[in-house]
Amino acid sequence: MRVLVAEDHPVLARTIATGLRRRAMAVDVAATGGEAERLCLLTAYDVLILDRDLPVMSGDEVCRRLVELGDPPRILMLTAAGDLSDKVYGLTALGADDYLSKPFDFTELVARVRALSRRAPKPLPAALNFGGITLDVSRHEASVYGRALELTPKEFAVLHLLLVAGGAPVPHGELVRTIWDEHLDARTTAVRATVSRLRGKLGDSCVITADRGEGYRLCE
């Protein structure tokens, strides 16, 4: 899942981004409304966490402009204004998908982000299966031939993408964009190392192949 955090308070923005990355989400950060709009036009984010009180261009204006352009990311608005009228305005007049008042509990923020991501068209089945591998997205559980797997968030996310592809190759760049973020050093071995650990936990070094120039794929 790829998320954009549009928040001008640097400590809060960093806290949100770090927490979401620890939950295997790829996160970018924007400090102004103009930057948030530009990034959304360049990148297909699943969820935009949008502070209403952004400088240069307000979060309200960013939300309105993205909705008018069509096919925006799911938008979760953050604000210190928690009155019912403010929530109604954000959800109806501006077209936001959800609304969360500051201060908020981080676990609630994560739950709302995940709920918004599930509203995408053509939702995937709760459980994915391929060659003896089963991954239950809703329970965040995985197994191979009935044996439970203990996966890190990154390993789970990589396996999820590979299962969604159903044996077709998933490009290295797509793994980076979806699971890590734009700041990942292109020279890093993070993807290769994660795939290597995943192979070990699946118990078969050949279950995930690396196709030269095409990416990684599952094989039976």
Side-chain angles (χ1 to χ4, degrees), residues 8-88:
D8 65 321
H9 192 290
V11 175
L12 179 57
R14 185 167 57 251
T15 299
I16 293 174
T18 300
L20 295 180
R21 286 170 184 147
R22 287 174 177 169
R23 287 160 176 79
M25 302 182 199
V27 184
D28 297 326
V29 177
T32 69
E35 185 182 9
E37 181 186 37
R38 178 182 64 82
L39 288 173
C40 284
L41 295 178
L42 292 173
T43 303
Y45 292 103
D46 298 295
V47 178
L48 166 60
I49 300 175
L50 181 62
D51 181 22
R52 288 188 68 178
D53 300 318
L54 290 174
V56 182
M57 183 191 301
S58 71
D60 287 7
E61 184 62 18
V62 172
C63 184
R64 185 182 295 109
R65 289 164 66 106
L66 290 176
V67 170
E68 288 176 354
L69 287 173
D71 197 27
R74 299 296 181 181
I75 300 175
L76 169 59
M77 298 198 80
L78 298 179
T79 181
D83 293 341
L84 178 59
S85 59
D86 291 308
K87 295 181 180 180
V88 171

Side-chain angles (χ1 to χ4, degrees), residues 162 167-170 175 195 199 202 204-212 214-220:
L162 294 175
V170 179
L175 289 169
V195 170
R199 286 192 184 110
L202 290 171
D204 186 346
S205 61
C206 298
V207 71
I208 302 176
T209 63
D211 293 337
R212 187 177 298 275
E214 293 188 0
Y216 298 95
R217 65 182 178 87
L218 290 172
C219 56
E220 296 184 271

Side-chain angles (χ1 to χ4, degrees), residues 12-180:
L12 179 57
R14 185 167 57 251
T15 299
I16 293 174
T18 300
L20 295 180
R21 286 170 184 147
R22 287 174 177 169
R23 287 160 176 79
M25 302 182 199
V27 184
D28 297 326
V29 177
T32 69
E35 185 182 9
E37 181 186 37
R38 178 182 64 82
L39 288 173
C40 284
L41 295 178
L42 292 173
T43 303
Y45 292 103
D46 298 295
V47 178
L48 166 60
I49 300 175
L50 181 62
D51 181 22
R52 288 188 68 178
D53 300 318
L54 290 174
V56 182
M57 183 191 301
S58 71
D60 287 7
E61 184 62 18
V62 172
C63 184
R64 185 182 295 109
R65 289 164 66 106
L66 290 176
V67 170
E68 288 176 354
L69 287 173
D71 197 27
R74 299 296 181 181
I75 300 175
L76 169 59
M77 298 198 80
L78 298 179
T79 181
D83 293 341
L84 178 59
S85 59
D86 291 308
K87 295 181 180 180
V88 171
Y89 180 75
L91 294 171
T92 57
L94 299 178
D97 297 285
D98 202 356
Y99 200 100
L100 188 60
S101 300
K102 298 177 181 178
F104 53 83
D105 185 272
F106 188 73
T107 56
E108 181 180 3
L109 174 69
V110 172
R112 287 174 181 266
V113 168
R114 285 179 171 160
L116 287 175
S117 72
R118 291 195 294 268
R119 296 184 191 175
K122 299 179 182 178
L124 294 169
L128 299 170
N129 299 276
F130 187 93
I133 302 170
T134 299
L135 185 143
D136 191 316
V137 180
S138 60
R139 295 176 180 271
H140 207 78
E141 295 175 349
S143 63
V144 56
Y145 295 109
R147 174 174 60 84
L149 298 172
E150 294 293 333
L151 303 179
T152 67
K154 295 294 188 190
E155 292 164 356
F156 188 94
V158 168
L159 184 58
H160 184 204
L161 276 186
L162 294 175
L163 284 166
V164 169
V170 179
H172 178 277
E174 183 177 346
L175 289 169
V176 172
R177 287 191 301 273
T178 306
I179 301 171
W180 281 268

